[in-house]
Amino acid sequence: MKEKLKTALLVLLVTSSLIQSYFLMYRLPGSDSIAKSATNYIKTDDMGPEERAENLIYPDRMIIHMGGNKHTIFYPHSTFYNLIFSRLQARSFDSFQRRSIQNIDINELRSQNDGIELTFASGVPVTLLERVMQIQPDALFQAEQINRIWIYNVKNESKAHALFFSTEGGVVYEAGKADLTAQDVQQHVDFGKQWTAYTSTKGSYYIPEVDIDVMEVEFEIGVYTTEQMHRSLFFDPSITRNIREKDGSEIYTDSKRSLQVRQEQKWMSYTDPAALPAGESSADTDVLAAVDFVNQHGGWNGEYRLSVVGSGEEENGVVFQQYYGAYPVLDTPQFKYGVMTLNLQQGTVSAYQRSLIYSKPGSVSKKMKKLPGGDDLKAKLKNEEIISAIVDLYPAYQPSLTKKGMQLTPVWAVKLQNGTVTVLE
Protein backbone atom coordinates (compact mmCIF):
# COMPACT_ATOMS: atom_id res chain seq x y z
CA MET A 1 0.00 0.00 0.00
CA LYS A 2 2.83 2.38 0.91
CA GLU A 3 4.59 1.60 -2.37
CA LYS A 4 1.41 2.46 -4.35
CA LEU A 5 1.11 5.78 -2.50
CA LYS A 6 4.78 6.56 -3.19
CA THR A 7 4.32 5.74 -6.88
CA ALA A 8 1.18 7.91 -7.14
CA LEU A 9 2.92 10.81 -5.37
CA LEU A 10 5.94 10.49 -7.68
CA VAL A 11 3.70 10.55 -10.78
CA LEU A 12 1.91 13.64 -9.43
CA LEU A 13 5.19 15.46 -8.79
CA VAL A 14 6.54 14.64 -12.25
CA THR A 15 3.32 15.77 -13.92
CA SER A 16 3.30 19.04 -11.93
CA SER A 17 6.91 19.65 -12.89
CA LEU A 18 6.15 19.14 -16.59
CA ILE A 19 3.17 21.51 -16.46
CA GLN A 20 5.20 24.16 -14.66
CA SER A 21 8.01 23.83 -17.22
CA TYR A 22 5.51 24.30 -20.03
CA PHE A 23 4.21 27.56 -18.58
CA LEU A 24 7.71 28.85 -17.93
CA MET A 25 8.75 28.09 -21.50
CA TYR A 26 5.66 29.11 -23.44
CA ARG A 27 3.52 31.45 -21.37
CA LEU A 28 3.74 34.56 -19.25
CA PRO A 29 1.15 35.41 -16.60
CA GLY A 30 -1.74 37.30 -18.14
CA SER A 31 -0.42 37.02 -21.72
CA ASP A 32 -0.67 34.82 -24.76
CA SER A 33 1.94 32.34 -25.87
CA ILE A 34 5.33 33.94 -26.43
CA ALA A 35 6.20 31.38 -29.09
CA LYS A 36 4.96 33.78 -31.78
CA SER A 37 5.57 33.95 -35.49
CA ALA A 38 8.10 36.40 -36.89
CA THR A 39 5.32 38.76 -38.02
CA ASN A 40 3.96 39.31 -34.50
CA TYR A 41 5.28 41.54 -31.74
CA ILE A 42 5.35 41.60 -27.98
CA LYS A 43 3.91 44.57 -26.14
CA THR A 44 6.63 45.27 -23.58
CA ASP A 45 5.86 48.79 -22.35
CA ASP A 46 2.69 50.39 -21.08
CA MET A 47 3.19 53.65 -22.97
CA GLY A 48 0.11 55.51 -24.27
CA PRO A 49 -3.46 54.35 -23.57
CA GLU A 50 -5.29 52.05 -25.96
CA GLU A 51 -8.32 53.19 -27.97
CA ARG A 52 -11.39 51.64 -29.62
CA ALA A 53 -11.99 52.21 -33.33
CA GLU A 54 -15.49 53.51 -32.58
CA ASN A 55 -14.04 56.44 -30.64
CA LEU A 56 -11.93 57.50 -33.62
CA ILE A 57 -14.78 57.76 -36.14
CA TYR A 58 -16.66 61.05 -36.07
CA PRO A 59 -17.29 64.01 -38.42
CA ASP A 60 -14.60 66.68 -38.74
CA ARG A 61 -17.35 69.31 -38.49
CA MET A 62 -21.09 69.81 -38.33
CA ILE A 63 -22.54 72.53 -40.56
CA ILE A 64 -25.95 73.84 -39.52
CA HIS A 65 -28.02 75.26 -42.38
CA MET A 66 -30.78 77.59 -41.21
CA GLY A 67 -32.38 78.68 -44.48
CA GLY A 68 -32.10 82.14 -46.01
CA ASN A 69 -28.41 81.39 -46.76
CA LYS A 70 -27.62 81.41 -43.02
CA HIS A 71 -25.19 78.89 -41.55
CA THR A 72 -23.06 78.09 -38.52
CA ILE A 73 -20.48 75.40 -37.74
CA PHE A 74 -19.97 73.19 -34.69
CA TYR A 75 -16.57 71.52 -34.34
CA PRO A 76 -15.72 68.18 -32.62
CA HIS A 77 -16.03 67.87 -28.84
CA SER A 78 -17.95 71.16 -28.49
CA THR A 79 -21.21 71.08 -26.50
CA PHE A 80 -23.74 71.34 -29.32
CA TYR A 81 -21.67 69.09 -31.59
CA ASN A 82 -21.66 66.33 -28.96
CA LEU A 83 -25.36 66.77 -28.21
CA ILE A 84 -26.52 66.64 -31.83
CA PHE A 85 -24.20 63.82 -32.88
CA SER A 86 -25.18 61.65 -29.91
CA ARG A 87 -28.84 62.12 -30.82
CA LEU A 88 -28.22 61.24 -34.48
CA GLN A 89 -26.35 58.12 -33.38
CA ALA A 90 -29.52 56.94 -31.64
CA ARG A 91 -31.59 57.22 -34.85
CA SER A 92 -31.85 54.50 -37.51
CA PHE A 93 -31.36 54.79 -41.29
CA ASP A 94 -32.63 52.10 -43.64
CA SER A 95 -33.82 51.22 -47.19
CA PHE A 96 -31.14 53.06 -49.18
CA GLN A 97 -31.83 54.14 -52.74
CA ARG A 98 -29.07 55.17 -55.12
CA ARG A 99 -29.49 58.56 -56.76
CA SER A 100 -27.50 60.77 -59.10
CA ILE A 101 -26.17 64.00 -57.65
CA GLN A 102 -27.22 65.65 -60.90
CA ASN A 103 -30.83 65.34 -59.75
CA ILE A 104 -30.17 67.22 -56.49
CA ASP A 105 -29.88 71.00 -56.34
CA ILE A 106 -27.11 71.25 -53.74
CA ASN A 107 -26.99 75.06 -53.82
CA GLU A 108 -30.69 75.34 -53.05
CA LEU A 109 -30.39 72.65 -50.39
CA ARG A 110 -27.55 74.58 -48.76
CA SER A 111 -29.10 78.04 -48.92
CA GLN A 112 -32.84 77.41 -48.43
CA ASN A 113 -33.45 74.18 -46.47
CA ASP A 114 -33.01 73.76 -42.74
CA GLY A 115 -30.59 70.91 -42.19
CA ILE A 116 -27.51 69.34 -40.62
CA GLU A 117 -24.47 68.49 -42.73
CA LEU A 118 -21.84 66.12 -41.31
CA THR A 119 -18.52 66.01 -43.18
CA PHE A 120 -15.96 63.18 -42.98
CA ALA A 121 -12.99 64.66 -44.88
CA SER A 122 -11.74 62.00 -47.32
CA GLY A 123 -14.47 59.53 -46.39
CA VAL A 124 -15.27 56.62 -44.07
CA PRO A 125 -16.29 53.10 -45.17
CA VAL A 126 -19.98 52.41 -44.54
CA THR A 127 -19.04 49.26 -42.62
CA LEU A 128 -17.21 51.47 -40.12
CA LEU A 129 -20.02 54.04 -39.97
CA GLU A 130 -22.27 51.15 -38.96
CA ARG A 131 -20.20 50.90 -35.78
CA VAL A 132 -21.09 54.43 -34.69
CA MET A 133 -24.52 55.01 -36.30
CA GLN A 134 -27.59 52.81 -36.64
CA ILE A 135 -27.27 52.14 -40.36
CA GLN A 136 -29.06 48.99 -41.45
CA PRO A 137 -26.94 46.67 -43.63
CA ASP A 138 -27.45 47.02 -47.36
CA ALA A 139 -25.34 45.00 -49.82
CA LEU A 140 -24.90 47.74 -52.43
CA PHE A 141 -24.52 50.63 -49.98
CA GLN A 142 -22.00 48.80 -47.76
CA ALA A 143 -19.35 48.83 -50.48
CA GLU A 144 -19.18 52.65 -50.43
CA GLN A 145 -17.12 55.22 -48.56
CA ILE A 146 -19.09 58.23 -47.30
CA ASN A 147 -17.65 61.73 -46.98
CA ARG A 148 -20.84 63.62 -46.16
CA ILE A 149 -24.23 63.02 -44.52
CA TRP A 150 -26.91 65.65 -45.07
CA ILE A 151 -30.13 65.53 -43.05
CA TYR A 152 -32.67 68.19 -43.98
CA ASN A 153 -36.29 69.30 -43.99
CA VAL A 154 -38.56 70.00 -46.94
CA LYS A 155 -41.34 72.55 -46.55
CA ASN A 156 -44.75 71.04 -45.61
CA GLU A 157 -43.28 67.55 -45.06
CA SER A 158 -43.32 65.90 -41.62
CA LYS A 159 -40.47 63.45 -42.28
CA ALA A 160 -36.83 64.43 -42.56
CA HIS A 161 -34.67 63.46 -45.53
CA ALA A 162 -31.20 61.89 -45.20
CA LEU A 163 -28.59 61.83 -47.96
CA PHE A 164 -25.29 59.90 -47.80
CA PHE A 165 -22.68 61.12 -50.30
CA SER A 166 -20.21 58.62 -51.74
CA THR A 167 -16.57 59.49 -52.34
CA GLU A 168 -17.21 58.17 -55.84
CA GLY A 169 -18.22 61.42 -57.53
CA GLY A 170 -21.83 61.82 -58.54
CA VAL A 171 -23.26 59.03 -56.34
CA VAL A 172 -25.69 59.74 -53.50
CA TYR A 173 -27.74 57.35 -51.38
CA GLU A 174 -31.02 58.43 -49.80
CA ALA A 175 -32.35 56.61 -46.75
CA GLY A 176 -35.91 55.60 -47.61
CA LYS A 177 -36.53 55.20 -43.90
CA ALA A 178 -35.00 57.68 -41.46
CA ASP A 179 -36.04 57.64 -37.84
CA LEU A 180 -36.23 61.45 -37.73
CA THR A 181 -39.10 63.90 -37.96
CA ALA A 182 -38.93 67.41 -39.34
CA GLN A 183 -39.41 68.61 -35.77
CA ASP A 184 -36.31 66.68 -34.64
CA VAL A 185 -34.20 68.36 -37.31
CA GLN A 186 -35.66 71.78 -36.56
CA GLN A 187 -34.80 71.43 -32.89
CA HIS A 188 -31.17 70.68 -33.78
CA VAL A 189 -31.03 73.54 -36.27
CA ASP A 190 -32.35 75.95 -33.64
CA PHE A 191 -29.22 75.34 -31.56
CA GLY A 192 -27.28 77.25 -34.20
CA LYS A 193 -29.40 80.39 -34.31
CA GLN A 194 -27.54 82.07 -31.44
CA TRP A 195 -24.12 80.88 -32.61
CA THR A 196 -21.49 82.53 -34.83
CA ALA A 197 -22.92 83.19 -38.30
CA TYR A 198 -20.99 81.92 -41.34
CA THR A 199 -21.32 82.73 -45.03
CA SER A 200 -20.77 80.12 -47.73
CA THR A 201 -18.16 80.75 -50.40
CA LYS A 202 -19.22 78.95 -53.58
CA GLY A 203 -20.22 76.03 -51.38
CA SER A 204 -16.55 75.12 -50.88
CA TYR A 205 -15.71 76.78 -47.57
CA TYR A 206 -17.30 78.98 -44.91
CA ILE A 207 -16.19 82.32 -43.46
CA PRO A 208 -17.33 83.52 -40.01
CA GLU A 209 -18.93 86.96 -40.12
CA VAL A 210 -17.00 88.02 -36.98
CA ASP A 211 -13.71 87.12 -35.30
CA ILE A 212 -13.81 83.81 -33.46
CA ASP A 213 -12.25 83.05 -30.08
CA VAL A 214 -9.81 80.13 -29.93
CA MET A 215 -7.68 79.14 -26.95
CA GLU A 216 -3.88 79.23 -27.27
CA VAL A 217 -2.40 76.42 -25.18
CA GLU A 218 0.98 75.59 -23.68
CA PHE A 219 1.68 72.38 -21.75
CA GLU A 220 4.46 70.10 -20.51
CA ILE A 221 5.47 67.17 -22.67
CA GLY A 222 7.20 63.84 -22.34
CA VAL A 223 8.97 61.86 -25.07
CA TYR A 224 8.82 58.12 -25.69
CA THR A 225 12.40 56.88 -25.79
CA THR A 226 14.06 55.15 -28.69
CA GLU A 227 14.55 52.13 -26.45
CA GLN A 228 10.82 51.92 -25.72
CA MET A 229 9.91 51.91 -29.41
CA HIS A 230 12.78 49.53 -30.17
CA ARG A 231 11.53 46.98 -27.64
CA SER A 232 7.94 47.40 -28.78
CA LEU A 233 8.47 46.98 -32.52
CA PHE A 234 11.02 44.16 -32.78
CA PHE A 235 10.28 40.53 -32.00
CA ASP A 236 13.82 40.03 -30.68
CA PRO A 237 15.54 43.40 -29.97
CA SER A 238 18.80 41.60 -29.11
CA ILE A 239 19.48 40.72 -32.77
CA THR A 240 19.11 44.27 -34.10
CA ARG A 241 22.03 46.53 -34.91
CA ASN A 242 22.19 50.28 -34.41
CA ILE A 243 23.26 52.74 -37.12
CA ARG A 244 23.82 56.44 -36.49
CA GLU A 245 23.28 58.73 -39.47
CA LYS A 246 25.17 61.98 -40.11
CA ASP A 247 21.95 63.99 -39.61
CA GLY A 248 21.73 62.72 -36.02
CA SER A 249 18.98 60.17 -36.62
CA GLU A 250 19.24 56.59 -35.35
CA ILE A 251 18.33 53.45 -37.27
CA TYR A 252 17.70 50.02 -35.76
CA THR A 253 17.40 47.05 -38.09
CA ASP A 254 17.25 43.28 -37.88
CA SER A 255 17.95 43.02 -41.65
CA LYS A 256 14.20 42.88 -42.33
CA ARG A 257 12.52 45.63 -40.37
CA SER A 258 13.90 49.07 -39.65
CA LEU A 259 13.15 51.79 -37.12
CA GLN A 260 14.40 55.31 -37.81
CA VAL A 261 14.18 57.93 -35.06
CA ARG A 262 14.75 61.60 -35.86
CA GLN A 263 15.84 63.00 -32.52
CA GLU A 264 15.58 66.66 -33.53
CA GLN A 265 11.92 66.36 -34.53
CA LYS A 266 11.13 63.57 -32.04
CA TRP A 267 9.61 61.57 -34.86
CA MET A 268 9.84 57.87 -35.72
CA SER A 269 9.39 55.90 -38.91
CA TYR A 270 9.09 52.10 -38.90
CA THR A 271 9.05 49.88 -41.98
CA ASP A 272 8.51 46.17 -42.45
CA PRO A 273 8.76 45.53 -46.22
CA ALA A 274 8.85 41.79 -45.60
CA ALA A 275 5.48 41.81 -43.81
CA LEU A 276 3.61 38.69 -44.80
CA PRO A 277 0.06 39.25 -46.11
CA ALA A 278 -2.50 38.19 -43.54
CA GLY A 279 -5.22 37.48 -46.07
CA GLU A 280 -7.98 39.40 -47.82
CA SER A 281 -7.93 43.17 -47.33
CA SER A 282 -10.57 45.89 -47.29
CA ALA A 283 -10.68 49.48 -46.11
CA ASP A 284 -12.56 48.68 -42.90
CA THR A 285 -10.38 45.71 -41.91
CA ASP A 286 -7.26 47.78 -42.60
CA VAL A 287 -8.50 50.53 -40.27
CA LEU A 288 -9.22 48.01 -37.51
CA ALA A 289 -5.80 46.43 -38.02
CA ALA A 290 -4.18 49.89 -37.85
CA VAL A 291 -5.98 50.70 -34.59
CA ASP A 292 -4.87 47.39 -33.07
CA PHE A 293 -1.29 48.00 -34.18
CA VAL A 294 -1.13 51.44 -32.53
CA ASN A 295 -2.70 49.98 -29.37
CA GLN A 296 0.11 47.43 -29.21
CA HIS A 297 2.99 49.68 -30.27
CA GLY A 298 2.98 53.01 -28.48
CA GLY A 299 -0.68 53.71 -27.78
CA TRP A 300 -2.45 57.02 -28.37
CA ASN A 301 -0.71 60.17 -27.20
CA GLY A 302 -3.84 62.35 -27.33
CA GLU A 303 -7.23 62.71 -29.04
CA TYR A 304 -7.42 61.38 -32.62
CA ARG A 305 -9.92 61.08 -35.50
CA LEU A 306 -9.82 58.73 -38.48
CA SER A 307 -8.88 61.12 -41.27
CA VAL A 308 -7.83 59.18 -44.37
CA VAL A 309 -8.55 55.69 -45.65
CA GLY A 310 -6.76 55.52 -48.99
CA SER A 311 -6.37 52.71 -51.48
CA GLY A 312 -3.36 52.05 -53.65
CA GLU A 313 -2.41 49.31 -56.08
CA GLU A 314 -0.50 47.35 -53.42
CA GLU A 315 -0.98 49.24 -50.14
CA ASN A 316 -3.73 51.01 -48.25
CA GLY A 317 -2.93 54.10 -46.23
CA VAL A 318 -4.63 54.96 -42.94
CA VAL A 319 -4.11 58.36 -41.31
CA PHE A 320 -5.27 59.43 -37.85
CA GLN A 321 -5.49 63.19 -37.24
CA GLN A 322 -4.66 64.51 -33.79
CA TYR A 323 -6.97 67.02 -32.08
CA TYR A 324 -6.73 69.35 -29.15
CA GLY A 325 -10.24 70.22 -28.06
CA ALA A 326 -12.32 71.14 -31.10
CA TYR A 327 -9.55 71.66 -33.64
CA PRO A 328 -6.95 69.56 -35.46
CA VAL A 329 -3.22 69.89 -34.79
CA LEU A 330 -1.32 70.54 -38.02
CA ASP A 331 1.47 68.30 -39.27
CA THR A 332 4.02 70.51 -41.02
CA PRO A 333 7.33 69.84 -42.81
CA GLN A 334 9.04 72.03 -40.20
CA PHE A 335 7.57 70.13 -37.26
CA LYS A 336 6.18 66.61 -37.66
CA TYR A 337 3.58 66.03 -34.98
CA GLY A 338 -0.15 66.07 -35.73
CA VAL A 339 -0.76 62.71 -37.44
CA MET A 340 -0.17 58.98 -37.23
CA THR A 341 0.27 57.29 -40.60
CA LEU A 342 0.19 53.57 -41.33
CA ASN A 343 0.51 51.63 -44.58
CA LEU A 344 -0.96 48.15 -44.80
CA GLN A 345 -0.59 45.22 -47.17
CA GLN A 346 -3.57 42.88 -46.96
CA GLY A 347 -4.25 43.78 -43.36
CA THR A 348 -0.61 43.72 -42.22
CA VAL A 349 1.19 46.94 -41.27
CA SER A 350 4.22 47.58 -43.51
CA ALA A 351 4.98 51.16 -42.40
CA TYR A 352 4.22 53.22 -39.28
CA GLN A 353 5.03 56.88 -38.63
CA ARG A 354 4.27 58.92 -35.53
CA SER A 355 5.53 61.55 -33.11
CA LEU A 356 7.22 60.41 -29.91
CA ILE A 357 5.85 63.40 -28.00
CA TYR A 358 2.99 63.09 -25.52
CA SER A 359 1.43 65.62 -23.15
CA LYS A 360 2.12 65.21 -19.45
CA PRO A 361 -0.73 65.54 -16.97
CA GLY A 362 -0.22 68.69 -14.98
CA SER A 363 0.03 72.40 -15.55
CA VAL A 364 -1.53 73.80 -18.71
CA SER A 365 -1.52 77.51 -19.48
CA LYS A 366 -4.27 78.93 -21.69
CA LYS A 367 -5.11 82.34 -23.06
CA MET A 368 -7.80 83.43 -25.49
CA LYS A 369 -6.79 84.47 -28.99
CA LYS A 370 -8.90 85.82 -31.83
CA LEU A 371 -8.83 84.45 -35.34
CA PRO A 372 -9.95 87.12 -37.83
CA GLY A 373 -13.34 86.77 -39.46
CA GLY A 374 -15.57 88.86 -41.69
CA ASP A 375 -13.98 91.48 -43.95
CA ASP A 376 -10.52 91.06 -42.34
CA LEU A 377 -10.44 87.37 -43.21
CA LYS A 378 -11.80 87.99 -46.71
CA ALA A 379 -9.08 90.58 -47.29
CA LYS A 380 -6.37 88.14 -46.17
CA LEU A 381 -7.73 85.48 -48.51
CA LYS A 382 -7.79 87.92 -51.44
CA ASN A 383 -4.13 88.69 -50.84
CA GLU A 384 -3.31 85.01 -51.31
CA GLU A 385 -2.21 84.08 -54.81
CA ILE A 386 -3.78 80.68 -54.25
CA ILE A 387 -7.32 81.92 -53.56
CA SER A 388 -8.72 80.27 -56.70
CA ALA A 389 -7.36 76.90 -55.53
CA ILE A 390 -8.86 76.99 -52.01
CA VAL A 391 -11.34 74.20 -51.30
CA ASP A 392 -11.56 74.43 -47.51
CA LEU A 393 -10.82 76.79 -44.63
CA TYR A 394 -10.89 75.83 -40.95
CA PRO A 395 -9.39 76.74 -37.53
CA ALA A 396 -6.43 74.60 -36.51
CA TYR A 397 -3.47 74.52 -34.14
CA GLN A 398 0.12 75.04 -35.26
CA PRO A 399 2.47 73.23 -32.84
CA SER A 400 5.89 74.48 -31.73
CA LEU A 401 8.32 73.46 -29.01
CA THR A 402 8.99 75.86 -26.12
CA LYS A 403 11.09 75.83 -22.94
CA LYS A 404 8.05 74.66 -21.02
CA GLY A 405 7.09 71.98 -23.52
CA MET A 406 4.73 72.61 -26.43
CA GLN A 407 2.64 75.54 -27.58
CA LEU A 408 -0.43 75.21 -29.80
CA THR A 409 -1.11 78.45 -31.67
CA PRO A 410 -4.52 79.03 -33.33
CA VAL A 411 -4.32 79.58 -37.11
CA TRP A 412 -6.53 79.45 -40.18
CA ALA A 413 -5.66 76.33 -42.18
CA VAL A 414 -6.21 76.50 -45.94
CA LYS A 415 -6.69 73.32 -47.96
CA LEU A 416 -5.95 73.50 -51.69
CA GLN A 417 -7.24 71.53 -54.65
CA ASN A 418 -4.10 69.40 -54.77
CA GLY A 419 -4.69 68.28 -51.15
CA THR A 420 -1.92 70.32 -49.51
CA VAL A 421 -2.67 72.35 -46.38
CA THR A 422 -1.05 75.72 -45.71
CA VAL A 423 -1.34 78.26 -42.89
CA LEU A 424 -2.91 81.64 -43.61
CA GLU A 425 -0.38 84.15 -42.35
Side-chain angles (χ1 to χ4, degrees), residues 47 219-226 228-229 247-250 259-270 301 304 322 331-340 352-360 399-407:
M47 296 161 64
F219 52 84
E220 294 182 15
I221 62 170
V223 180
Y224 298 136
T225 66
T226 303
Q228 283 178 301
M229 299 310 303
D247 61 1
S249 62
E250 288 186 88
L259 167 67
Q260 182 176 22
V261 177
R262 301 183 185 276
Q263 297 291 355
E264 184 178 347
Q265 292 195 330
K266 298 174 175 56
W267 179 262
M268 59 140 279
S269 178
Y270 167 80
N301 57 330
Y304 282 83
Q322 186 167 8
D331 172 54
T332 66
Q334 296 76 26
F335 185 34
K336 304 288 290 179
Y337 177 67
V339 297
M340 285 191 200
Y352 175 38
Q353 296 184 55
R354 64 172 293 162
S355 173
L356 299 176
I357 296 173
Y358 62 90
S359 60
K360 283 185 175 180
S400 59
L401 293 177
T402 65
K403 291 182 179 179
K404 181 179 178 180
M406 178 174 290
Q407 179 172 297

Side-chain angles (χ1 to χ4, degrees), residues 159-342:
K159 284 287 186 180
H161 293 252
L163 299 177
F164 292 70
F165 291 75
S166 170
T167 54
E168 297 294 328
V171 178
V172 180
Y173 290 83
E174 181 167 11
K177 297 178 182 178
D179 183 24
L180 282 162
T181 66
Q183 187 176 2
D184 293 329
V185 174
Q186 189 61 54
Q187 185 183 53
H188 298 153
V189 168
D190 287 344
F191 290 141
K193 290 186 175 179
Q194 304 302 319
W195 213 248
T196 304
Y198 284 72
T199 56
S200 174
T201 304
K202 300 178 182 179
S204 294
Y205 56 93
Y206 293 80
I207 295 177
E209 294 183 359
V210 297
D211 297 351
I212 62 172
D213 293 325
V214 181
M215 202 72 72
E216 183 178 80
V217 184
E218 189 174 11
F219 52 84
E220 294 182 15
I221 62 170
V223 180
Y224 298 136
T225 66
T226 303
E227 289 73 20
Q228 283 178 301
M229 299 310 303
H230 178 216
R231 290 195 301 269
S232 175
L233 288 165
F234 288 90
F235 174 68
D236 185 357
S238 66
I239 64 173
T240 62
R241 68 180 189 276
N242 178 235
I243 305 169
R244 289 185 181 273
E245 298 287 277
K246 291 181 180 179
D247 61 1
S249 62
E250 288 186 88
I251 298 176
Y252 287 88
T253 179
D254 61 0
S255 77
K256 294 181 180 179
R257 308 174 185 90
S258 69
L259 167 67
Q260 182 176 22
V261 177
R262 301 183 185 276
Q263 297 291 355
E264 184 178 347
Q265 292 195 330
K266 298 174 175 56
W267 179 262
M268 59 140 279
S269 178
Y270 167 80
T271 58
D272 185 5
L276 298 176
E280 293 297 322
S281 177
S282 61
D284 57 339
T285 56
D286 282 342
V287 169
L288 297 177
V291 172
D292 285 343
F293 190 89
V294 175
N295 283 341
Q296 296 167 13
H297 307 294
W300 303 84
N301 57 330
E303 190 84 35
Y304 282 83
R305 179 184 62 81
L306 175 63
S307 176
V308 176
V309 186
S311 298
E313 293 183 3
E314 296 183 356
E315 291 186 326
N316 284 340
V318 178
V319 178
F320 299 101
Q321 171 67 61
Q322 186 167 8
Y323 273 70
Y324 188 91
Y327 307 115
V329 180
L330 295 179
D331 172 54
T332 66
Q334 296 76 26
F335 185 34
K336 304 288 290 179
Y337 177 67
V339 297
M340 285 191 200
T341 303
L342 298 96

